[in-house]
Amino acid sequence: MEIWINPACSKCRGALSLLDAEGAEYTVRRYLEDVPSEDEIRAVLERLGLEPWDITRTQEAVATELGIKEWARDAGTRDRWIAALASHPGLIQRPIITADDGTAVVGRTEEAVRDALSR
């Protein structure tokens, strides 16, 4: 499995601690440094079963600058959202854990991380 993290994020550190405590094998991706492409974001969204606006941190300063809260949330604007996430990876909700079964979870809670471990 792979986990997208921001090392400064307490939820990310908590997820890593739980994965370590459970002896999980995983790869860390510091997504602010190793920025996912638009295609990688699309693939993760498919695995999550979510839309880009579902994983966007709309309270971030750059989100305000871009006016993201006002953007439509529909098929016609999906690519615009994905492009914004690829251009401004700090907008991506974290941590995201891709499970071995081809699914993914946003691991912000212990329950979500355990869910990823069980897949």
Side-chain angles (χ1 to χ4, degrees):
M1 79 176 57
E2 181 176 79
I3 181 170
W4 292 8
I5 69 155
N6 172 352
C9 168
S10 63
K11 298 286 186 188
C12 294
R13 292 191 307 271
L16 290 173
S17 292
L18 181 55
L19 292 174
D20 289 342
E22 295 295 324
E25 292 185 25
Y26 60 91
T27 302
V28 170
R29 180 171 186 170
R30 293 177 180 223
Y31 72 95
L32 297 178
E33 299 163 13
D34 182 8
V35 178
S37 68
E38 290 184 26
D39 285 341
E40 288 175 304
I41 293 169
R42 281 186 190 87
V44 163
L45 288 166
E46 184 173 325
R47 292 176 80 165
L48 287 165
L50 298 173
E51 292 295 338
W53 44 86
D54 296 326
I55 65 163
T56 300
R57 298 169 54 88
T58 60
Q59 301 301 320
E60 297 294 316
V62 69
T64 302
E65 291 171 22
L66 294 172
I68 282 180
K69 285 185 181 181
E70 309 308 317
W71 292 5
R73 296 175 182 214
D74 58 28
T77 60
R78 190 173 198 270
D79 287 342
R80 181 181 187 194
W81 284 84
I82 291 169
L85 294 173
S87 297
H88 306 280
L91 294 175
I92 299 172
Q93 192 60 258
R94 59 189 184 251
I96 293 178
I97 303 169
T98 55
D100 292 337
D101 70 350
T103 62
V105 299
V106 178
R108 296 193 54 78
T109 65
E110 182 176 329
E111 180 180 83
V113 176
R114 289 194 183 282
D115 182 35
L117 283 167
S118 71
R119 296 178 183 198

